[in-house]
């Protein structure tokens, strides 16, 4: 959710989207209803009365109170951003102000344009675009890696009224052999623990999956290499372990599992179609690219099936890396300055030293 003001500060423009169909409708409703209004008009709205005023208290909204809270939180987020934009406008010269110079409403991102040749400026530290998710249950499992991306994902869900339960997956080498490749899971665990503590002691649990990772990913990779083929272990890890074994372990305990991937899972419009499974609203799920073409990770998620995509959610999938870093700075996350790693643990320390600006 992004909020901008016109040059003369007389109008508010709201833009955003979501990877859940109902939430997408709520965001669109707010965007259309508030865009063009004055800052004063937006700030006068009572967020808690909006659902009743619009007749949205019954039906699906009543079955899933999180949706009512989500709508209220969207309004609150817009109001907070309007205040921030007004504060920026009144600040001395030198403090950046994010405005809509064309005085026209920004369009919703559907198919991000090719990456620009120049590096875009980071958003103001005052701007935190929050995601407007709405799920049938308010408890969401978050796979926390100890990096900045999954840390921000956890906070985005939490700030929308959901109750994240964090899980750290140990996916390489038995504990007594971990020193051989210097895979710093203990360091990752330390960061993950610090993030959860800062977020209000969010429950965090380590799930040992070394044996499963070896059997389903490493052994297969080695065998394929012997045959002269080059499988991608990250693709296998996502489909067979993170969204495979973890689902098997958790069963139906969580309707949604969130990760810090730069991708989007979007229900198809109209329903039906092949592929099996499908979104909660009936249509098959579609794996869509992130606006950040450099950080986009849809390739590594390309083997997820419909059942896996239906339960997956990617809270940071709407944003670019520089925005995630800015959010981490504003939230003062323990991971805000931590560099990104390649994440292929069994390649050893040298691979991790070649830390690219890649996702988790």
């Amino acid at each position: 959710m992004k909020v901008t003001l016109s040059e003369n500060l007389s109008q508010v423009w709201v833009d955003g989207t979501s990877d859940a169909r109902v939430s997408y409708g709520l965001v669109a409703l707010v965007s259309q209803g508030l865009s063009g209004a004055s800052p004063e008009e937006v700030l006068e709205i009572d967020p808690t009365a909006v659902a009743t005023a619009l007749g949205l208290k019954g039906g699906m909204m009543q079955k899933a109170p999180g949706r009512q809270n989500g709508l209220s939180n969207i309004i609150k987020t817009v109001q907070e951003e309007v205040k921030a934009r007004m504060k920026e406008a009144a600040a001395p010269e030198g403090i950046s102000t994010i405005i809509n110079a064309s005085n026209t409403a920004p369009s919703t991102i559907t198919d991000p344009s090719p990456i620009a040749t120049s590096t875009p400026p980071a958003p103001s530290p005052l701007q935190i675009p929050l995601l407007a998710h709405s799920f049938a249950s308010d408890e969401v499992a978050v796979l926390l890696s100890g990096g900045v991306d999954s840390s921000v994902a956890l906070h985005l869900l939490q700030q929308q009224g959901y109750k994240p339960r964090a899980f750290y997956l140990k996916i390489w080498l038995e504990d007594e052999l971990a020193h051989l490749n210097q895979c710093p899971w203990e360091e990752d665990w330390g960061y993950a623990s610090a993030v959860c503590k800062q977020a209000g002691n969010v429950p965090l649990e380590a799930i040992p999956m070394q044996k499963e990772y070896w059997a389903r990913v490493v052994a297969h990779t080695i065998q394929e290499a012997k045959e002269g083929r080059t499988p991608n272990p990250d693709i296998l890890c996502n489909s067979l372990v993170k969204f495979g074994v973890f689902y098997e372990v958790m069963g139906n305990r969580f309707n949604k599992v969130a990760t810090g991937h730069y991708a989007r899972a979007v229900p198809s419009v109209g329903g039906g179609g092949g592929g099996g499974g499908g979104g909660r609203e009936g249509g098959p799920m579609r794996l869509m690219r992130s606006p950040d073409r450099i950080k986009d990770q849809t390739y590594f998620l390309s083997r997820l099936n419909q059942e896996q995509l239906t339960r997956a959610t990617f809270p940071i999938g709407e944003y670019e890396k520089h925005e995630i870093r800015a959010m981490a700075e504003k939230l003062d996350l323990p991971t805000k300055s931590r560099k990104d790693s390649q994440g292929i643990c069994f390649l050893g320390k040298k691979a991790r030293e070649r830390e690219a600006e890649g996702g988790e």
Side-chain angles (χ1 to χ4, degrees), residues 170 239 282:
K170 294 171 62 177
S239 62

Side-chain angles (χ1 to χ4, degrees), residues 281-294:
E281 305 299 327
M285 298 296 292
R286 301 173 63 193
L287 182 62
M288 305 290 287
R289 289 185 295 181
S290 162
D292 193 323
R293 292 298 177 88
I294 293 179

Side-chain angles (χ1 to χ4, degrees), residues 108-360:
T108 300
I109 296 175
T110 54
D111 184 15
S113 57
I115 186 168
T117 54
S118 60
T119 303
S124 162
L126 293 173
Q127 182 186 23
I128 292 284
L130 300 180
L131 191 63
H133 279 258
S134 183
F135 308 136
S137 172
D138 62 356
E139 191 171 54
V140 181
V142 181
L143 301 188
L144 206 58
S145 69
V148 65
D149 296 330
S150 58
S151 300
V152 172
L154 182 148
H155 276 270
L156 288 175
L157 289 170
Q158 189 180 54
Q159 291 182 23
Q160 290 302 311
Y162 296 97
K163 299 176 182 178
R165 292 187 65 90
F167 296 88
Y168 178 82
L169 307 186
K170 294 171 62 177
I171 58 175
W172 182 241
L173 293 183
E174 298 295 341
D175 295 337
E176 62 269 20
L177 300 177
H179 67 280
L180 293 178
N181 279 318
Q182 303 183 48
C183 188
W185 75 264
E186 291 181 340
E187 180 182 348
D188 292 340
W189 173 262
Y191 276 105
S193 299
V195 168
C196 289
K197 181 178 180 180
Q198 185 200 49
N201 292 319
V202 170
L204 173 63
E205 181 180 351
I207 307 294
M209 293 187 176
Q210 295 98 327
K211 293 181 179 179
E212 292 82 358
Y213 186 68
W214 171 269
R216 304 193 187 194
V217 178
V218 181
H220 175 75
T221 299
I222 293 174
Q223 183 59 41
E224 288 292 285
K226 289 180 179 179
E227 298 293 333
R229 292 184 287 267
T230 55
N232 189 305
D234 286 335
I235 293 178
L236 297 174
C237 182
N238 285 324
S239 62
L240 301 178
V241 180
K242 292 182 180 179
F243 296 95
V245 177
F246 183 75
Y247 281 7
E248 296 171 10
V249 172
M250 290 295 108
N252 295 320
R253 181 178 171 187
F254 299 98
N255 289 330
K256 287 290 183 177
V257 176
T259 67
H261 284 99
Y262 287 85
R264 297 178 295 145
V266 182
S268 296
V269 177
R280 195 168 297 281
E281 305 299 327
M285 298 296 292
R286 301 173 63 193
L287 182 62
M288 305 290 287
R289 289 185 295 181
S290 162
D292 193 323
R293 292 298 177 88
I294 293 179
K295 305 301 298 182
D296 178 76
Q297 293 172 298
T298 50
Y299 172 70
F300 302 103
L301 299 166
S302 59
R303 286 192 57 174
L304 266 60
N305 59 36
Q306 280 295 305
E307 181 181 357
Q308 292 171 325
L309 277 177
T310 299
R311 295 179 65 184
T313 185
F314 310 114
I316 69 170
E318 304 290 344
Y319 306 112
E320 297 186 16
K321 184 68 178 191
H322 68 97
E323 294 178 291
I324 299 302
R325 284 290 182 188
M327 293 184 210
E329 285 288 341
K330 178 176 180 179
L331 294 167
D332 194 27
L333 297 181
T335 56
K336 65 181 181 181
S337 300
R338 197 179 189 200
K339 293 181 179 181
D340 300 325
S341 68
Q342 294 285 2
I344 306 176
C345 196
F346 63 80
L347 292 185
K349 187 175 186 296
K350 289 298 181 182
R352 298 185 69 90
E353 288 177 346
R354 296 193 297 270
E355 293 182 344
E357 282 300 310
E360 301 173 15

